């Protein structure tokens, strides 16, 4: 459908930057056939109903009340209801209902309330200004506008607010991303400044303050993919846990234990709240509010040492989740030597898997294999293990033009945990910012 269609908002709304709802009013003439109410059931599913009747709108529907209860009006699309179509519809009615119905046209005044979201947006915006996407997180609609569309942000926000019944708040994502905690700076465009909301992902409920913590609904398949790999014999260390979209379903899958960490105190608050909200046994999870480097060097080191001293450790599999794609790779050297001086040697196999996320950005078009190679190189370089084999290189999503996100899964060899930390490595860790490590890693991007 296009702006030339009858059942389309008036062309005067094209390009408006302020929402004047009265501009959407339009008088239309819609062809109808009058049918006895008792016969409606016999034609409701007939092909002619699908092919020629109008699409359902807010107040206007393909079958509507007539003046009396005994009759109904079948409304036809005014743009396709030619004389030829009318004759074939008349013949179909004769065949199906054995009657020759009355045909006519009826006037309707369509208003802003009658046009659905798609019609409103398509009528206002052209190819260049059309929004690329918006995401709904509970009652919050979250826009990500291209520069060309910025001038239309208010009208767009107001339409989303009006047309999506669940939406109470509309925000625009600003360019700035909070560099520590990865949530977006945002601007309120419509509705109330209420950022605490609830969402569901694979049967679990997450409460969060979208203005203070990270959430990305596009990662739900990724959360599911990783959790599917886990079973009762797994111990999970989530280094950048956020509000728990890996940790909580992992517990639901009855893994042996989850240790979840995040540097953002508000994320940890919500993680704890979500444990309660989903009636998860708090004994199954320990939460930490530490820098990821400290979590690896102190908590993973301590817990791993503890498990390795237990006989039951043979059957355990350890999974470390590192979903901070802009920086996770730079945290990898922190694993070096974490068991140094704690465990002499290993009397059994250590199953220690790392799932490390990374962004790779190119400056020009490259094949996907190039992005994969860069991702692998980043991991090997950061760990200083040039021959490390990847168990899996998974493409998570295309973030934007020339920017891809991957999850690399690999087993860390036991002697990596025993290697003594050399001086330069200590310095990298002691500074607690990862710059020196980062310098060794090619093409990391935020
Ligand atoms: C991309 S989010 C991922 C959150 C969650 N795992 C998910 O999938 O939704 C990264 C998380 O890392 C946290 N973070 C950022 N820097 C950190 C650091 N140095 N140490 C620990 N956590 C950090 C942020 O607060 C954020 O919650």
């Amino acid at each position: 459908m296009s702006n030339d269609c009858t059942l389309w908002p008036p062309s005067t709304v094209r390009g408006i930057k302020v929402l004047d709802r009265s501009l959407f009013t339009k008088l239309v003439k819609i062809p109808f056939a009058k049918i006895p109410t008792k016969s409606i059931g016999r034609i409701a599913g007939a092909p002619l109903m699908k092919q020629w009747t109008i699409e359902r709108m807010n107040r206007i529907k393909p079958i509507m009340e007539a003046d009396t209860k005994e009759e109904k009006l079948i409304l036809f699309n005014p743009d396709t209801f030619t004389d030829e179509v009318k004759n074939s519809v008349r013949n179909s009615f004769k065949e199906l209902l054995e009657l020759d119905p009355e045909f006519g046209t009826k006037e309707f005044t369509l208003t802003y309330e009658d046009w659905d979201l798609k019609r409103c947006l398509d009528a206002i915006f052209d190819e260049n200004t059309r929004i690329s996407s918006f995401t709904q997180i509970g009652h919050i609609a979250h826009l990500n506008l291209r520069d060309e569309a910025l001038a239309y942000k208010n009208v767009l926000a107001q339409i989303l607010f009006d047309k999506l019944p669940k939406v109470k708040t509309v925000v625009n994502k600003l360019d700035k991303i909070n560099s520590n905690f990865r949530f977006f700076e945002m601007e309120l465009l419509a509705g109330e400044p209420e950022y605490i909301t609830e969402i569901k992902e694979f049967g679990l409920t997450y409460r969060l303050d979208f203005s203070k913590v990270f959430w990305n609904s596009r990662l739900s398949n990724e959360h599911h993919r990783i959790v599917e790999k886990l079973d009762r014999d797994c111990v999970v260390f989530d280094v950048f846990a956020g509000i728990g979209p890996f940790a909580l379903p992992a517990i639901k899958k009855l893994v042996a234990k989850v240790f979840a960490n995040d540097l953002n105190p508000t994320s940890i608050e919500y993680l704890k709240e979500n444990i309660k909200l989903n009636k998860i046994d708090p004994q199954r999870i320990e939460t930490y509010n530490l820098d990821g480097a400290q979590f690896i060097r102190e908590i993973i080191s301590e817990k791993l040492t503890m498990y390795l001293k237990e006989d039951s450790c043979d059957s355990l599999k350890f999974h470390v989740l590192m979903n901070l794609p802009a920086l996770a790779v730079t945290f990898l050297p922190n694993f070096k030597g974490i068991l140094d001086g704690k465990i002499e040697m290993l009397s059994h196999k250590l199953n220690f898997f790392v799932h490390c996320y990374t962004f790779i950005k190119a400056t020009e078009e490259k094949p996907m294999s190039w992005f994969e190679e860069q991702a692998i190189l980043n991991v090997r370089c950061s760990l200083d293990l040039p021959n490390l084999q990847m168990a899996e290189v998974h493409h998570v999503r295309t973030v934007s033009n020339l920017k891809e996100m991957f999850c690399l899964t690999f087993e860390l060899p036991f002697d990596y945990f025993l290697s003594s930390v050399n001086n330069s490595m200590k310095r990298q860790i002691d500074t607690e910012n990862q710059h020196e490590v980062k310098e060794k890693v090619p093409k990391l991007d935020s």
Side-chain angles (χ1 to χ4, degrees):
M1 274 197 284
S2 76
N3 283 8
D4 306 328
C5 298
T6 309
L7 296 181
W8 200 256
S11 54
T12 43
V13 303
R14 177 63 109 200
I16 54 169
K17 295 195 174 86
V18 177
L19 183 63
D20 176 353
R21 294 178 181 79
S22 69
L23 290 179
F24 286 79
T25 304
K26 186 176 185 181
L27 191 67
V28 293
K29 286 185 178 162
I30 302 185
F32 69 81
K34 209 180 261 181
I35 302 287
T37 305
K38 60 178 177 1
S39 307
I40 286 293
R42 279 158 56 203
I43 54 154
L48 77 94
M49 292 297 286
K50 268 203 182 141
Q51 202 175 355
W52 305 118
T53 55
I54 60 161
E55 270 180 41
R56 209 185 160 86
M57 295 170 72
N58 186 16
R59 284 178 308 136
I60 318 284
K61 302 177 182 78
I63 301 175
M64 295 201 58
E65 299 299 320
D67 299 336
T68 65
K69 275 195 167 170
E70 286 71 42
E71 289 177 313
K72 297 262 186 220
L73 298 183
I74 313 280
L75 300 187
F76 297 99
N77 183 342
D79 296 323
T80 51
F81 202 64
T82 57
D83 285 345
E84 204 180 323
V85 172
K86 188 170 162 182
N87 282 336
S88 103
V89 167
R90 187 190 294 278
N91 290 338
S92 301
F93 280 144
K94 278 185 187 159
E95 251 174 58
L96 291 167
L97 307 177
E98 290 163 8
L99 58 83
D100 189 6
E102 174 193 338
F103 284 89
T105 52
K106 188 173 163 66
E107 277 194 355
F108 290 88
T109 303
L110 298 178
T111 64
Y112 177 69
E113 281 67 39
D114 291 307
W115 309 114
D116 59 15
L117 177 65
K118 184 174 167 16
R119 280 188 176 92
C120 286
L121 296 184
D122 286 353
I124 297 176
F125 301 107
D126 61 23
E127 288 294 301
N128 295 325
T129 51
R130 190 157 302 156
I131 45 160
S132 44
S133 65
F134 74 91
T135 334
Q136 200 175 325
I137 295 157
H139 71 271
I140 304 170
H142 171 216
L143 306 179
N144 189 357
L145 294 177
R146 290 192 298 239
D147 286 352
E148 309 82 47
L150 276 178
Y152 301 89
K153 63 184 181 184
N154 292 319
V155 68
L156 174 59
Q158 196 57 53
I159 292 175
L160 291 179
F161 181 77
D162 291 343
K163 298 288 174 188
L164 299 172
K166 262 189 76 184
V167 167
K168 301 276 174 278
T169 305
V170 185
V171 294
N172 180 30
K173 177 171 138 184
L174 298 177
D175 259 355
K176 268 196 268 166
I177 182 165
N178 179 288
S179 55
N180 279 339
F181 301 148
R182 316 306 299 168
F183 58 81
F184 293 105
E185 306 272 328
M186 50 198 165
E187 163 192 27
L188 179 69
L189 295 179
E192 46 198 62
E194 176 53 71
Y195 301 116
I196 299 175
T197 193
E198 275 185 19
I199 32 141
K200 287 228 181 255
E201 195 175 271
F202 292 107
L204 289 162
T205 305
Y206 297 89
R207 186 171 296 156
L208 63 124
D209 183 336
F210 193 53
S211 67
K212 294 193 179 137
V213 303
F214 173 90
W215 183 265
N216 187 345
S217 303
R218 292 198 184 98
L219 291 177
S220 69
N221 286 342
E222 185 54 20
H223 298 143
H224 189 62
R225 186 184 73 89
I226 293 288
V227 173
E228 281 296 289
K229 295 179 188 288
L230 307 174
D231 58 35
R232 286 168 186 263
D233 297 328
C234 295
V235 173
V236 175
F237 297 104
D238 193 350
V239 186
F240 309 108
I243 60 161
F246 287 117
L248 267 55
I251 302 170
K252 280 272 174 194
K253 265 207 101 188
L254 300 176
V255 299
K257 186 93 184 187
V258 173
F259 301 94
N261 174 68
D262 202 283
L263 184 61
N264 182 350
T266 316
S267 292
I268 292 300
E269 254 172 54
Y270 278 101
L271 171 58
K272 288 180 179 163
E273 195 172 333
N274 290 328
I275 292 169
K276 281 196 203 131
L277 194 66
N278 291 285
K279 300 192 172 54
I280 283 171
D281 176 2
Q283 307 284 347
R284 320 270 320 275
I285 178 166
E286 286 180 23
T287 58
Y288 298 87
N289 179 209
L290 301 171
D291 178 79
Q294 197 183 349
F295 179 71
I296 295 171
R297 300 209 64 76
E298 293 177 11
I299 308 302
I300 299 190
S301 154
E302 177 200 322
K303 301 298 173 187
L304 198 54
T305 309
M306 177 191 88
Y307 281 111
L308 287 173
K309 287 181 177 164
E310 287 173 11
D311 287 344
S312 57
C313 185
D314 273 4
S315 58
L316 286 180
K317 284 166 271 173
F318 299 93
H319 288 265
V320 180
L321 312 181
M322 300 180 73
N323 183 15
L324 176 60
L327 289 172
V329 164
T330 67
F331 284 76
L332 291 174
N334 289 295
F335 285 104
K336 191 157 191 168
I338 56 170
L339 298 180
D340 192 23
K342 296 182 175 169
I343 298 272
E344 292 300 308
M345 54 178 279
L346 202 59
S347 51
H348 33 242
K349 179 168 167 27
L350 175 65
N351 300 301
F352 193 93
F353 300 94
V354 179
H355 308 272
C356 183
Y357 291 82
T358 186
F359 291 138
I360 300 294
K361 192 166 183 182
T363 49
E364 57 188 299
E365 288 291 334
K366 296 278 185 192
M368 193 54 87
S369 56
W370 179 89
F371 286 92
E372 279 180 22
E373 279 159 24
Q374 293 298 307
I376 296 169
L377 196 66
N378 280 345
V379 167
R380 287 182 178 155
C381 226
S382 183
L383 284 164
D384 209 4
L385 293 175
N387 299 317
L388 183 74
Q389 290 305 304
M390 297 297 129
E392 191 176 1
V393 179
H394 175 74
H395 179 244
V396 178
R397 67 189 193 98
T398 297
V399 181
S400 58
N401 192 20
L402 306 179
K403 185 170 175 183
E404 306 292 342
M405 176 174 170
F406 292 91
C407 175
L408 293 103
T409 297
F410 52 89
E411 255 185 282
L412 262 187
F414 184 62
D415 54 6
Y416 197 77
F417 300 116
L418 295 184
S419 338
S420 51
V421 183
N422 63 32
N423 284 340
S424 69
M425 182 66 70
K426 269 203 177 109
R427 206 179 63 244
Q428 288 164 10
I429 294 156
D430 289 346
T431 56
E432 280 191 30
N433 71 56
Q434 306 283 319
H435 294 311
E436 275 120 314
V437 181
K438 245 200 279 181
E439 271 164 28
K440 287 169 59 185
V441 181
K443 286 213 179 59
L444 273 176
D445 191 79
S446 61

